[in-house]
Amino acid sequence: MGTLKTEPARARLDLLAPPVAAALEQWPADAPVDVDDVLVAPIDAELADTAAFCAAYEVGLDVSANCVVVAGKREGEIRYAACIVLATTRADVNGVVRRTLNVRKASFAPMADAVELTGMEYGGITPIGLPEEWPILVDSRVIATPYVIIGSGVRHSKIALPGPALGALPGATVVEGLARPA
């Protein structure tokens, strides 16, 4: 985990967006990953973007995951989803994601919508604590990674957790081929 100084996330709720903290407080006891295995580390908010973060904290792109919010429209209804992919890949938004959402066209959700709907900061959005009705699409490479670093809902910290935990989140589906190499 590079030079990050991690500690159990439930002990540092001040480093998490409110929806993320609430989701950790309700973490299922029977989850395949114990809530105490979800760690958080403070970072410089100016270094929250993936490339800058990885360089500054000596974290490999292959263990850094991105959560991107996508939107598509069908019959006048906007459908949102979160895609979790490793930083070495890019989500196949107009292929796999579009078909999974059953929409004609999918694209990255506008920043203002993503922030308002998630209650999280842009550049820190994480799949933990997202709206319950949103599907969470997790690339199979993410769950094959022993530990991944992902946003915490705010730009001044990052979460570290076992990759398989992301595939076990409520509403999560592991999707083979969700992402393509960058």
Side-chain angles (χ1 to χ4, degrees), residues 69-170:
V69 178
V70 295
K73 195 180 270 190
R74 183 71 170 213
E75 299 171 359
E77 171 197 3
I78 298 176
R79 299 176 184 181
Y80 292 95
C83 298
I84 315 306
V85 299
L86 292 177
T88 55
T89 65
R90 297 288 175 253
D92 183 7
V93 175
N94 269 306
V96 175
V97 175
R98 177 186 59 77
R99 288 189 300 275
T100 302
L101 290 177
N102 190 24
V103 295
R104 287 196 176 97
K105 181 183 172 199
S107 59
F108 296 107
M111 177 177 62
D113 293 351
V115 168
E116 180 181 343
L117 295 170
T118 63
M120 300 180 201
E121 294 177 6
Y122 192 76
I125 294 174
T126 188
I128 301 169
L130 287 175
E132 287 181 24
E133 65 275 10
W134 286 18
I136 299 171
L137 309 177
V138 183
D139 185 69
S140 58
R141 287 170 269 225
V142 173
I143 65 156
T145 305
Y147 252 85
V148 294
I149 311 296
I150 196 157
S152 64
V154 294
R155 291 183 61 86
H156 63 272
S157 66
K158 293 282 186 181
I159 286 176
L161 75 168
L166 294 168
L169 289 172

